[in-house]
Amino acid sequence: MNGINGQLLIIFGASGDLTERKLIPSLMNLYQGGHLPESFAVLGVSRSDMDDADFRKKVALENPHIPETVGNFGDRKEFAKRLFYHDLESYTESYEGLKQRIDALDEEQGTQGNFMFYLSVPPRIYETIASKLDDQGLSSEEGGTRRLIVEKPFGYDLESARELNTGLQRYFRESQIFRIDHYLGKETVQNLLVTRFSNSIFEPLWNRNYIRHVEITNAESVGVGKRGGYYDSAGALRDMFQNHLLQIISLVVMEPPIGPDAEEIRNEKVKALKSLRIMRDPETLYKHTIRGQYMAGEIDGKAVPGYREEEGVDPESTTETYAALKFYVDNWRWAEVPFYVRTAKRMPTKVTEVVIHFKSPHHQIFRDIGMDSKDNKLIIRIQPNEGILIKFGVKVPGQGFQVERANLDFYYSDMTDANIMAAYERLLLDAMQGDATLYARADEVEAAWEFVDPILTYWEQSEDVVTYGYSAGVWGPRNADDLIEGAYGWRNPGTHLTDDPGFCVIT
Ligand code: BG6
């Protein structure tokens, strides 16, 4: 039970997709794993006309996102008894009725006045909800813990992110606000910290003296699906880079924290984000940023539509579904080490990985053609086929000293005892325990926007910017390959960690 006291989780926007797809399935898993407190209940709140029974049916008993293999149906029925629903006419009405319901449930379920409010609603109503909760005394921690979890997008640009922060902080203290970024809930993202700071074989090399460049790929084979309406006004940079990728980048870049506490780690992450060199002049922005958009093509042998044909997308849209950036980090550790980062939809496969390219030995004894592409690499695979791969040179048997590259690989799946929690499970549990390490702090979010804002403005306003088309199922526009100088290119990974560049999976 992890020492968590009773908890009442109040989900705003409970009739939406996230509750059904992620939140309830995660809670169900936590319940089955015995991780939830004895006294635990969920109150779904939204504007749909439902009662407790309808809600239980929708999100638990008949939820297609809870695999049948998860526990037995008896468990599901038991779990469903802890779910309740409250219908709000509108989010702006008085929450007096809601407060009464919360108090009644608290009493009945023994949740000890510990309330966690989860906002799975559009960010424009975050502040309204926070103020209405405050009106009812529900932000005050006098009678128990009161926490507010907010979903992304956290702001549309720097200014709106600042407004959101100020708006929420009017009613809740920063220590009560948990900004969720589900990438931080991924084991492999957290493992970046462990790889770096618990191994003396990596950390001494983790700097400009030994690292030539850093490459990060985040590829998805899916398109925008039914989210065209939202995505068309967001684009890849806002949807993925500003949050998930900058979180990964901050973990790669940061200095060792003094200790493992949330604030120590978050302080270093903010410092890392602030040390990214903000691109402001048009020439750099032109040369170091690339935007692309997928066109009709084939993925896994199936024809898929182009972005402009997707539901909810403007047929003349220039929104990017592919973004690639080159940038530098202005601090002692990373001076003049280029970072290349790309994120995209409709790529040949779904994969996220960080590749650390080490410099060649200062003095090359074994001269060999193509040594550049045989550089030592550390590949940290975030997903799928989670693991770590080291590429190093070995002698090819026979006469002379011909060098070939060999693999040293580790897979999480080999740690058979490890029961890997899904991202939302871990994050929900952490929030219940009040551990904010894996949540983004206000200044962290703002520092991320500070880096992204000038790129977005340039893309929106400059006449030089073009959106390159790429066929669905290829690794993005061709010119993105030129972003990486020299004999290096992107490592186009396959589903399996040890697949070599250029390999792509067609099943
Ligand atoms: C979400 C984005 O935050 O992350 C989606 O809004 C994207 O567009 C998703 O598909 C990717 O998450 P994951 O965990 O599947 O890599």
Side-chain angles (χ1 to χ4, degrees), residues 180-413:
I180 212 162
D181 184 308
H182 81 278
Y183 265 58
L184 284 176
K186 292 182 193 275
E187 276 294 333
T188 41
V189 173
Q190 294 156 34
N191 191 47
L192 275 166
L193 281 175
V194 177
T195 304
R196 284 194 57 194
F197 301 126
S198 74
N199 290 300
S200 49
I201 54 172
F202 297 127
E203 189 49 25
L205 307 183
W206 209 266
N207 58 54
R208 64 186 308 269
N209 295 325
Y210 297 97
I211 295 178
R212 190 197 165 274
H213 70 272
V214 177
E215 176 190 341
I216 301 177
T217 290
N218 168 266
E220 291 182 277
S221 53
V222 293
V224 290
K226 295 209 169 95
R227 298 164 71 229
Y230 146 76
Y231 195 92
D232 207 30
S233 61
L237 212 61
R238 285 192 180 91
D239 184 51
M240 292 297 298
F241 184 83
Q242 186 277 334
N243 36 71
H244 308 321
L245 285 168
L246 279 175
Q247 284 294 341
I248 295 177
I249 292 164
S250 66
L251 295 173
V252 172
V253 166
M254 71 190 262
E255 292 300 311
I258 299 169
D261 296 348
E263 291 321 307
E264 304 295 0
I265 293 180
R266 299 201 295 181
N267 286 345
E268 290 304 335
K269 283 171 67 195
V270 174
K271 216 168 92 192
L273 289 170
K274 286 191 169 166
S275 59
L276 304 188
R277 188 185 300 170
I278 298 178
M279 293 183 260
R280 293 194 196 278
D281 79 288
E283 200 187 326
T284 310
L285 284 159
Y286 180 77
K287 284 208 281 206
H288 293 183
T289 69
I290 292 177
R291 65 190 319 220
Q293 188 187 87
Y294 65 80
M295 300 183 303
E298 265 192 25
I299 300 220
D300 291 349
K302 281 192 217 106
V304 295
Y307 176 70
R308 290 178 178 183
E309 283 112 58
E310 302 273 19
E311 192 187 317
V313 171
D314 175 355
E316 289 181 16
S317 169
T318 53
T319 298
E320 80 284 357
T321 59
Y322 176 104
L325 306 181
K326 171 185 175 182
F327 61 88
Y328 292 93
V329 180
D330 282 334
N331 63 19
W332 194 270
R333 184 185 289 271
W334 294 110
E336 301 316 319
V337 176
F339 279 67
Y340 301 96
V341 182
R342 60 181 172 167
T343 176
K345 295 211 185 278
R346 286 293 189 217
M347 299 273 99
T349 191
K350 178 175 172 76
V351 65
T352 303
E353 63 175 33
V354 177
V355 187
I356 308 290
H357 293 257
F358 292 94
K359 287 184 174 169
S360 304
H362 298 310
H363 177 59
Q364 295 268 12
I365 307 170
F366 309 114
R367 297 198 179 276
D368 195 357
I369 305 155
M371 269 311 279
D372 278 352
S373 63
K374 291 175 188 164
D375 59 346
N376 289 142
K377 293 186 193 58
L378 170 69
I379 298 161
I380 301 172
R381 178 60 81 95
I382 309 286
Q383 61 188 21
N385 209 217
E386 291 82 354
I388 292 181
L389 172 66
I390 296 176
K391 287 194 174 273
F392 65 108
V394 291
K395 180 183 174 303
V396 176
Q399 275 193 308
F401 287 100
Q402 208 189 326
V403 182
E404 203 32 275
R405 205 169 38 177
N407 290 336
L408 202 59
D409 47 348
F410 154 78
Y411 299 92
Y412 265 93
S413 54

Side-chain angles (χ1 to χ4, degrees), residues 1 19 38 71 143 157 239 250 360 389 413 415 474:
M1 236 60 70
T19 309
E38 206 74 51
D157 51 19
D239 184 51
S250 66
S360 304
L389 172 66
S413 54
M415 294 176 82
V474 305

Side-chain angles (χ1 to χ4, degrees), residues 8 10 41-43 52 84-86 95-113 115 138:
L8 179 60
I10 298 118
V42 175
L43 176 62
D52 292 347
F84 303 87
Y85 183 78
H86 183 82
Y95 288 4
E96 208 180 320
L98 176 62
K99 162 88 162 85
Q100 283 164 9
R101 188 78 201 273
I102 290 176
D103 286 344
L105 276 177
D106 184 39
E107 176 87 32
E108 186 187 304
Q109 303 291 318
T111 49
Q112 301 161 306
F115 308 147
L138 286 166

Side-chain angles (χ1 to χ4, degrees), residues 40 48 78 120 130 138 147 154 173 238 267 350 374 401 429 445 451:
F40 175 81
S48 302
E78 273 313 302
S120 173
L138 286 166
R147 298 184 181 123
F154 201 83
R173 280 176 289 111
R238 285 192 180 91
N267 286 345
K350 178 175 172 76
K374 291 175 188 164
F401 287 100
L429 207 56
V445 172
F451 180 74

Side-chain angles (χ1 to χ4, degrees), residues 10-15 19 43-46 88 91 95 98 102 117-121 129 133 148:
I10 298 118
I11 306 176
F12 284 83
S15 58
T19 309
L43 176 62
V45 177
S46 72
L88 271 187
Y91 288 111
Y95 288 4
L98 176 62
I102 290 176
F117 303 99
Y118 196 113
L119 308 194
S120 173
V121 290
I129 295 179
L133 291 172
L148 187 71

